[in-house]
Amino acid sequence: MTSTAPAPASPTPSRTDELLTPLGRPQAGWRLRLYTIIFEADTRAGRLFDLGLIGLILLSIGVVMADSMASLRSEHGVLLSVLEWTLTGLFSAEYLARLLCVRHPWRYARSFYGVIDLLAVLPTYLAVLVPGLHALIDVRVLRLLRIFRILKLGAYVAEYGALGTALWATRRKILIFLTFVLMMVVVLGTLMYVVEGPANGFTSIPVSVYWAITTVTTVGFGDITPKTDLGRLISSAMMLLGWGTLAVPTGIVSAEFAARRGQEPTTRHCPECLSEGHLPSARYCRDCGARLPPWQRDPA
Amino acid sequence: MTSTAPAPASPTPSRTDELLTPLGRPQAGWRLRLYTIIFEADTRAGRLFDLGLIGLILLSIGVVMADSMASLRSEHGVLLSVLEWTLTGLFSAEYLARLLCVRHPWRYARSFYGVIDLLAVLPTYLAVLVPGLHALIDVRVLRLLRIFRILKLGAYVAEYGALGTALWATRRKILIFLTFVLMMVVVLGTLMYVVEGPANGFTSIPVSVYWAITTVTTVGFGDITPKTDLGRLISSAMMLLGWGTLAVPTGIVSAEFAARRGQEPTTRHCPECLSEGHLPSARYCRDCGARLPPWQRDPA
Amino acid sequence: MTSTAPAPASPTPSRTDELLTPLGRPQAGWRLRLYTIIFEADTRAGRLFDLGLIGLILLSIGVVMADSMASLRSEHGVLLSVLEWTLTGLFSAEYLARLLCVRHPWRYARSFYGVIDLLAVLPTYLAVLVPGLHALIDVRVLRLLRIFRILKLGAYVAEYGALGTALWATRRKILIFLTFVLMMVVVLGTLMYVVEGPANGFTSIPVSVYWAITTVTTVGFGDITPKTDLGRLISSAMMLLGWGTLAVPTGIVSAEFAARRGQEPTTRHCPECLSEGHLPSARYCRDCGARLPPWQRDPA
Amino acid sequence: MTSTAPAPASPTPSRTDELLTPLGRPQAGWRLRLYTIIFEADTRAGRLFDLGLIGLILLSIGVVMADSMASLRSEHGVLLSVLEWTLTGLFSAEYLARLLCVRHPWRYARSFYGVIDLLAVLPTYLAVLVPGLHALIDVRVLRLLRIFRILKLGAYVAEYGALGTALWATRRKILIFLTFVLMMVVVLGTLMYVVEGPANGFTSIPVSVYWAITTVTTVGFGDITPKTDLGRLISSAMMLLGWGTLAVPTGIVSAEFAARRGQEPTTRHCPECLSEGHLPSARYCRDCGARLPPWQRDPA
């Protein structure tokens, strides 16, 4: 990596900041002005740019979708092509502008959003240059992920962060749960393969495991169904099992959310040290030991 | 708006009140008597009117349903027509009575329930006058929404409000969650369109996204199902993902309900130490031992 | 009602007791001995009787099921008939014994379990006497409900009562929720009837409402599916809606259970008045105001 | 049982320990060195052995699955056979090594994991010796269960135990709930059998009960669906019922998890007033204002 100097505007950047604003703001001049518009949303121009970009991304997704519908493509093929090229041009210009105004272009280009930005424009060019790669053109739908970058700027940031933190805190429990479920569907899928057999649609163990997942998650496509009495008995047990098992991840996430929600009423301030985050039932400041005024709840 | 004088009976009307009793009560005379019957439920006549109206609305929905069943319409067509015209006549009379007794008829007519009341009678007339509009006749089912107006008068008001408030408090988290889910189904639907292709029923990206929603929500109609091994592998991952994802809105709502439920018995204050959070059955303060005043529950 | 004297053994019988032990115990003699065996489970004979009865009921359900399977009936028809008549005989004897030993036979015969006990034996007799009533013979499956009476005697009584009380406490919220869901499926079902029409399987509004319930509850049979683009768009919205809506009853029940669970650690006793049910955080007795010893949690 | 001397290394072995490390460690020599590698994971060699074993088990499951797919078996049949025999050889050697180094080989052989270990190698040998037993070869998939033994050694032990304890605590409530659901589906299945009859696919009561489970758990395969109006009405009620019923196990598990989660930060005691329930971040007692000792979290 050629540039190791820290960006002045963010002396202690967290990994998330790094991810979201890939490479520190420039210090002055037109590049700073461009940067505040493209990468930030604290100015009127910056907010307008973000709103416009969201609109263009959604329009672009609409074009990709319409392009995949045979009737629309045959009727409005030219319009869709013009729209696609216009949007690709705009996104290319935006990508170049980002590269231009950022302090470390190479680091930006290799960052998560730098790659997504490139993937948003590359397929259209490649589909023309290399006809064989036409199948790749639907990679354009990844443009949707660019909305995440903009979302961080809205009024929903706090909720977004809280949701993410809560879910992240449950990752170990969820992983253990998933391990159990995977073992369960492999064992039960194999059992059904033996019981029903290829004649009844359970053509192989992987297909039977796919069917077991279909059943345990209560999706139940019905493309494969048990035909024998024993198979139906085992299926019934699996459905009840899967139905009950669904309670586990829900319980994990609910408990996590509830525990965090219960700690929320923390707008109380300590009159001595001004610390926050006291529980409704606390009577003394947990940070300096001063007596807290009684909790005044809003008449909700 | 031509009438801006505030309704005397509700000096500080909230937006909800405004919605529910569209335009303030008249001050005296037969219009006030009619108003108390039609719009209110504090008198015996008012309650009887509401009960009768609920009965007529449900009967009317039954007529609309029966009218759509070929066998019933061919057998009892005349009876259904008579019933429909009688009900339309009664609803029309009610609509006129509401217009008559309300203080600001024009404001009522433009209010939410004013429009619903008009939509409840208009289709029957329009279907006769303009034969081409016969398809609109099922708009009559919106009569069902009129029950909401009456429900506000029952014993379930408090619970209804509590439910609504709790759900409203989760709207931001739910919206963020929905954004993620929508992005997920668009990206996964496109992936399946590329993997399975039109030959296996995934005829376009919108259809594939419809299938992805079917799968992730565990509905699983089975009208479109993956046929290739790779498609089934991706589907399996999607089902497990959707199954786990279902835990998120449930967790959000559960935590909100739990936090509100947990606070239900805590409006009691200790007269000595002002501590809160006493159970309904407590007789002495759990923090200072002072005697608590007896718990006053609302007559629910 | 001819007998109004209270049963001596239960001076203040609750409605539930009334329901479960329909008519008070006799005072002495062989009737009392029979009563303790048949109606109670505090003696060894009583427990054996209950276990035997559960076994016979389950066997009887098995016979009813086997009787409905064409292959089993043609092969083992005689065996099934013998078993059925033996079981009916035993249940008849039990019914007569219950009538004999109970203090108020007529009140027992009209009670909930008295009717169930009669329904358990009547169909077999009726099917022979009145051949046209053969369709009624599957009413025998109601014998299953008799297990409820016996369950009250097991070790699960406390949990059973706690579950029931918690669910009963949520009945108003659940009812409001159900009203909303029913309105939603009627309106959305009608919309789909208009959009898809009889040609695509939505043959009438009731059928479309059935389909809407299928979709919103995420069952998704797939016997009726949307074919038009607009119909699939509306379906997608309905699935997401139903998926999210599922969070509401779960949240209601979870919050209720959590609130009750949170109040559970109530094995603390007041050293003064011996009252129970103090919260972990309480420092003074809520009943007499005496100071509580600090809460000692088990090292779990 | 021939060996009753307690294993010195675990003076008070719980039933779980017994299950996981079937028979106590040897006291010295090469058997102890082998034991620490095979049964324990505290040494580098032991961890490498466990990782290698997990890899081999997963590879072996892959081979079993590939062997069941007709196309793969016809193409790569020889490779699959070689892999299978190599893996069976390795697992056999491991089984023998376990028998050799453990203090009480016979007790190990009869323990849960001893049987699983034998079942992991036996089918391959049996399929060669007794051709008629070829159907049993898929018992090999039970090798997957051996991963559980290894999982106990990872960083997820605490979470795994907490999940298990919480679910175990709900077993009574879940059992009562399951009893109700089973009664419900038997009664409703019989009802649908009477209403729809064999002509509409409800060929017997067991099949109708299978369908009822399909419906109530919201799986909805669609292989059997109601055709009559009355049947669809009952189905609609069943779907709504099942949808609501799903809230019960989720509520039970959520409440259990929430109660445990809520107690997580409360093992701190105030040294002055012995109050509990302090948050991890608190520095002073919220009840008496005394300074709290710093929170000692386990190195998770």
Side-chain angles (χ1 to χ4, degrees):
Chain A
M1 199 173 292
T2 54
S3 52
T4 54
S10 54
T12 57
S14 71
R15 212 185 138 270
T16 312
D17 283 359
E18 190 78 348
L19 206 80
L20 295 173
T21 49
L23 254 291
R25 3 155 63 192
Q27 279 171 312
W30 62 268
R31 288 176 63 197
L32 178 58
R33 282 200 301 280
L34 196 57
Y35 184 93
T36 53
I37 293 174
I38 298 186
F39 279 97
E40 296 178 355
D42 300 319
T43 59
R44 189 177 154 76
R47 276 190 295 274
L48 280 178
F49 178 85
D50 283 342
L51 282 178
L53 194 54
I54 289 182
L56 290 180
I57 291 170
L58 292 180
L59 176 63
S60 149
I61 299 299
V63 170
V64 172
M65 285 189 168
D67 194 47
S68 77
M69 298 167 79
S71 61
L72 279 180
R73 191 170 43 203
S74 63
E75 269 183 61
H76 306 286
V78 178
L79 174 65
L80 290 175
S81 279
V82 169
L83 270 174
E84 177 53 40
W85 279 106
T86 312
L87 287 164
T88 302
L90 286 171
F91 291 149
S92 306
E94 183 219 339
Y95 181 63
L96 292 177
R98 283 186 193 268
L99 278 179
L100 268 180
C101 74
V102 101
R103 276 186 78 202
H104 312 285
W106 181 231
R107 250 165 89 186
Y108 163 70
R110 294 182 312 176
S111 71
F112 177 71
Y113 280 115
V115 170
I116 292 287
D117 287 348
L118 190 61
L119 283 178
V121 295
L122 220 54
T124 317
Y125 295 120
L126 282 180
V128 172
L129 298 175
V130 194
L133 287 178
H134 201 272
L136 280 179
I137 202 157
D138 289 315
V139 171
R140 291 174 299 168
V141 92
L142 290 181
R143 286 169 186 170
L144 207 54
L145 297 182
R146 307 179 70 213
I147 286 182
F148 279 116
R149 167 159 53 191
I150 304 165
L151 275 188
K152 81 169 198 299
L153 307 162
Y156 291 76
V157 184
E159 308 275 351
Y160 174 81
L163 264 180
T165 314
L167 289 178
W168 182 246
T170 65
R171 71 191 178 285
R172 288 193 162 193
K173 288 201 181 77
I174 295 289
L175 211 76
I176 289 173
F177 170 72
L178 212 64
T179 312
F180 272 82
V181 169
L182 284 178
M183 286 190 182
M184 191 168 81
V185 293
V186 169
V187 171
L188 289 173
T190 307
L191 182 61
M192 287 299 286
Y193 169 71
V194 173
V195 167
E196 292 278 334
N200 289 332
F202 295 76
T203 48
S204 68
I205 293 184
V207 165
S208 302
V209 171
Y210 156 77
W211 173 85
I213 293 177
T214 294
T215 302
V216 163
T217 57
T218 77
V219 170
F221 280 132
D223 50 348
I224 307 166
T225 50
K227 301 283 183 300
T228 65
D229 286 345
L230 182 57
R232 283 177 169 172
L233 186 67
I234 298 170
S235 304
S236 299
M238 284 172 70
M239 291 179 220
L240 289 172
L241 190 68
W243 202 37
T245 310
L246 179 52
V248 176
T250 308
I252 293 170
V253 172
S254 293
E256 190 64 38
F257 283 173
R260 283 159 193 277
R261 180 70 180 70
Q263 290 173 5
E264 277 179 20
T266 56
T267 51
R268 290 175 90 187
H269 285 259
C270 169
E272 295 295 328
C273 71
L274 297 179
S275 70
E276 288 182 342
H278 303 287
L279 286 184
S281 58
R283 296 194 298 159
Y284 290 91
C285 173
R286 60 177 194 177
D287 283 317
C288 70
R291 200 168 181 98
L292 292 172
W295 187 42
Q296 312 266 340
R297 194 207 302 255
D298 279 343
Chain B
M1 199 171 292
T2 54
S3 51
T4 53
S10 54
T12 57
S14 71
R15 211 185 140 267
T16 311
D17 284 357
E18 189 77 350
L19 206 80
L20 294 173
T21 49
L23 254 294
R25 2 156 64 192
Q27 279 170 313
W30 63 268
R31 286 176 65 197
L32 177 59
R33 282 200 301 280
L34 197 57
Y35 185 93
T36 53
I37 292 173
I38 297 185
F39 280 98
E40 296 177 357
D42 300 320
T43 60
R44 189 178 153 77
R47 274 190 295 274
L48 280 178
F49 178 85
D50 283 342
L51 282 178
L53 195 55
I54 288 180
L56 289 180
I57 290 169
L58 292 180
L59 176 64
S60 149
I61 299 299
V63 170
V64 173
M65 284 190 168
D67 194 46
S68 78
M69 297 167 80
S71 61
L72 279 179
R73 190 169 46 205
S74 63
E75 270 182 60
H76 307 285
V78 178
L79 174 66
L80 289 175
S81 278
V82 169
L83 270 173
E84 177 54 40
W85 278 107
T86 313
L87 287 164
T88 303
L90 287 171
F91 290 149
S92 306
E94 183 220 339
Y95 181 62
L96 292 178
R98 284 186 192 268
L99 278 179
L100 268 179
C101 76
V102 101
R103 277 185 77 201
H104 313 286
W106 181 230
R107 249 166 90 186
Y108 163 70
R110 293 182 313 175
S111 71
F112 176 71
Y113 279 114
V115 171
I116 292 286
D117 287 347
L118 190 61
L119 284 178
V121 295
L122 220 54
T124 317
Y125 295 121
L126 282 180
V128 171
L129 298 175
V130 194
L133 286 180
H134 201 272
L136 279 180
I137 202 157
D138 290 314
V139 170
R140 290 174 300 169
V141 92
L142 289 181
R143 285 169 187 168
L144 205 54
L145 297 183
R146 306 179 70 212
I147 286 182
F148 279 116
R149 166 160 55 191
I150 303 164
L151 274 188
K152 81 168 198 299
L153 306 162
Y156 290 77
V157 184
E159 307 276 351
Y160 174 80
L163 263 181
T165 315
L167 288 178
W168 182 246
T170 64
R171 68 192 180 285
R172 289 193 161 193
K173 287 201 182 79
I174 295 289
L175 212 77
I176 288 172
F177 170 72
L178 212 65
T179 312
F180 273 81
V181 169
L182 284 177
M183 285 190 183
M184 192 167 82
V185 293
V186 169
V187 170
L188 289 173
T190 306
L191 182 62
M192 286 299 286
Y193 169 71
V194 173
V195 168
E196 291 278 334
N200 290 332
F202 295 75
T203 48
S204 69
I205 292 183
V207 165
S208 302
V209 170
Y210 155 76
W211 174 86
I213 293 176
T214 294
T215 302
V216 163
T217 56
T218 76
V219 170
F221 280 133
D223 51 347
I224 307 167
T225 48
K227 301 283 184 300
T228 65
D229 287 344
L230 183 58
R232 285 179 168 170
L233 186 67
I234 298 170
S235 305
S236 299
M238 284 172 69
M239 291 179 221
L240 289 172
L241 191 68
W243 202 38
T245 312
L246 179 52
V248 176
T250 308
I252 293 171
V253 173
S254 291
E256 190 64 37
F257 283 173
R260 284 162 190 275
R261 179 69 180 70
Q263 289 173 5
E264 273 177 25
T266 59
T267 51
R268 292 176 89 187
H269 285 258
C270 169
E272 294 295 328
C273 70
L274 297 179
S275 70
E276 289 185 332
H278 303 287
L279 289 183
S281 57
R283 295 193 298 158
Y284 289 91
C285 172
R286 60 174 194 178
D287 282 316
C288 71
R291 194 166 185 101
L292 291 173
W295 188 42
Q296 312 265 339
R297 196 211 294 257
D298 280 342
Chain C
M1 200 170 292
T2 54
S3 53
T4 53
S10 53
T12 56
S14 70
R15 213 186 138 268
T16 311
D17 283 356
E18 189 76 352
L19 206 78
L20 295 173
T21 48
L23 254 295
R25 6 157 58 195
Q27 279 169 311
W30 64 268
R31 286 177 64 198
L32 178 58
R33 281 199 302 279
L34 197 57
Y35 185 93
T36 53
I37 292 173
I38 298 186
F39 280 98
E40 296 176 356
D42 300 321
T43 59
R44 191 178 151 77
R47 276 191 294 275
L48 280 177
F49 179 85
D50 282 342
L51 283 178
L53 194 54
I54 289 182
L56 289 180
I57 291 170
L58 293 180
L59 175 64
S60 149
I61 298 299
V63 170
V64 173
M65 284 189 168
D67 194 48
S68 78
M69 298 167 80
S71 61
L72 280 179
R73 190 169 44 204
S74 64
E75 270 181 62
H76 307 287
V78 178
L79 173 67
L80 290 175
S81 277
V82 169
L83 270 174
E84 176 55 40
W85 279 107
T86 312
L87 288 164
T88 301
L90 287 171
F91 291 149
S92 305
E94 182 219 339
Y95 181 63
L96 292 178
R98 283 186 193 269
L99 279 178
L100 268 180
C101 75
V102 101
R103 277 187 75 202
H104 312 287
W106 182 230
R107 248 166 92 186
Y108 163 70
R110 292 182 315 175
S111 71
F112 176 72
Y113 280 114
V115 171
I116 293 286
D117 287 347
L118 191 60
L119 284 179
V121 294
L122 220 53
T124 317
Y125 296 120
L126 282 180
V128 172
L129 299 175
V130 196
L133 286 179
H134 200 272
L136 279 180
I137 202 158
D138 289 316
V139 169
R140 290 174 299 168
V141 92
L142 289 182
R143 286 169 186 170
L144 206 53
L145 296 183
R146 306 178 69 212
I147 285 183
F148 279 116
R149 168 162 50 190
I150 303 165
L151 274 189
K152 80 167 198 301
L153 306 163
Y156 290 76
V157 185
E159 309 275 349
Y160 174 80
L163 263 181
T165 315
L167 288 178
W168 182 247
T170 64
R171 68 192 181 284
R172 289 193 163 193
K173 288 200 180 78
I174 295 289
L175 212 77
I176 289 173
F177 170 72
L178 212 63
T179 313
F180 272 82
V181 168
L182 283 177
M183 286 191 182
M184 192 167 82
V185 293
V186 168
V187 170
L188 289 173
T190 307
L191 182 62
M192 286 299 286
Y193 169 71
V194 172
V195 166
E196 291 278 334
N200 290 332
F202 294 77
T203 48
S204 69
I205 292 183
V207 165
S208 302
V209 170
Y210 155 77
W211 173 86
I213 293 176
T214 293
T215 303
V216 163
T217 56
T218 77
V219 171
F221 280 133
D223 51 347
I224 307 167
T225 49
K227 301 284 183 300
T228 65
D229 286 344
L230 183 56
R232 286 178 166 172
L233 187 67
I234 298 170
S235 304
S236 299
M238 285 171 70
M239 291 180 222
L240 288 172
L241 192 66
W243 201 39
T245 310
L246 178 53
V248 176
T250 307
I252 293 170
V253 173
S254 292
E256 190 64 37
F257 283 173
R260 284 162 193 275
R261 181 68 182 69
Q263 290 174 5
E264 276 177 25
T266 55
T267 49
R268 291 175 88 186
H269 284 259
C270 168
E272 294 294 327
C273 70
L274 296 178
S275 69
E276 288 182 344
H278 303 287
L279 287 183
S281 58
R283 296 194 299 159
Y284 289 92
C285 172
R286 60 180 195 175
D287 283 319
C288 72
R291 200 167 180 101
L292 291 173
W295 188 42
Q296 312 266 341
R297 193 209 301 256
D298 280 342
Chain D
M1 199 171 294
T2 55
S3 52
T4 54
S10 54
T12 57
S14 71
R15 214 186 136 270
T16 313
D17 283 358
E18 190 76 350
L19 207 79
L20 295 173
T21 48
L23 254 294
R25 4 155 62 194
Q27 278 169 314
W30 62 269
R31 286 176 64 198
L32 177 58
R33 281 200 302 281
L34 196 58
Y35 185 93
T36 52
I37 292 174
I38 297 186
F39 279 98
E40 297 178 355
D42 300 320
T43 58
R44 192 178 150 75
R47 276 191 294 274
L48 280 178
F49 179 85
D50 284 342
L51 283 178
L53 195 54
I54 290 182
L56 289 180
I57 291 170
L58 292 180
L59 175 63
S60 149
I61 299 299
V63 170
V64 172
M65 285 190 169
D67 194 48
S68 78
M69 297 167 80
S71 61
L72 279 180
R73 191 170 42 203
S74 64
E75 270 182 62
H76 307 287
V78 178
L79 174 67
L80 290 175
S81 278
V82 169
L83 271 174
E84 178 53 40
W85 279 106
T86 312
L87 287 165
T88 301
L90 286 172
F91 290 151
S92 305
E94 183 218 340
Y95 182 62
L96 292 177
R98 282 186 194 268
L99 278 179
L100 267 181
C101 74
V102 101
R103 276 187 77 202
H104 312 286
W106 183 232
R107 248 165 93 188
Y108 163 70
R110 293 182 314 175
S111 71
F112 177 71
Y113 280 114
V115 171
I116 293 286
D117 286 348
L118 191 60
L119 283 178
V121 294
L122 219 53
T124 317
Y125 296 120
L126 282 180
V128 172
L129 299 175
V130 196
L133 286 178
H134 200 273
L136 279 180
I137 201 157
D138 289 316
V139 171
R140 290 174 298 167
V141 92
L142 290 181
R143 287 170 186 171
L144 205 54
L145 297 183
R146 307 179 69 214
I147 286 183
F148 278 117
R149 168 161 49 189
I150 304 165
L151 273 187
K152 80 166 198 300
L153 306 162
Y156 289 77
V157 184
E159 308 275 350
Y160 174 81
L163 264 179
T165 315
L167 288 178
W168 182 248
T170 64
R171 69 192 181 283
R172 288 193 162 193
K173 289 200 180 78
I174 295 289
L175 212 77
I176 289 173
F177 170 72
L178 212 64
T179 312
F180 272 82
V181 169
L182 283 178
M183 286 191 181
M184 191 167 81
V185 292
V186 168
V187 170
L188 290 173
T190 307
L191 182 61
M192 287 300 286
Y193 169 71
V194 172
V195 167
E196 291 278 333
N200 290 332
F202 295 76
T203 48
S204 69
I205 292 183
V207 165
S208 302
V209 170
Y210 156 76
W211 173 86
I213 293 177
T214 294
T215 303
V216 163
T217 56
T218 78
V219 170
F221 280 133
D223 50 348
I224 306 166
T225 49
K227 301 283 183 301
T228 66
D229 286 345
L230 182 57
R232 284 178 168 173
L233 188 65
I234 299 170
S235 304
S236 300
M238 285 171 70
M239 291 180 222
L240 288 172
L241 191 67
W243 201 39
T245 310
L246 179 52
V248 177
T250 308
I252 292 171
V253 173
S254 292
E256 190 63 38
F257 283 173
R260 283 160 193 276
R261 179 70 181 70
Q263 289 172 5
E264 275 178 25
T266 58
T267 50
R268 293 177 88 186
H269 284 259
C270 169
E272 295 294 326
C273 70
L274 296 178
S275 68
E276 287 185 336
H278 303 288
L279 289 182
S281 57
R283 294 193 297 160
Y284 288 90
C285 172
R286 61 178 196 177
D287 282 317
C288 73
R291 196 166 182 101
L292 291 173
W295 188 42
Q296 313 265 341
R297 194 211 295 258
D298 281 340

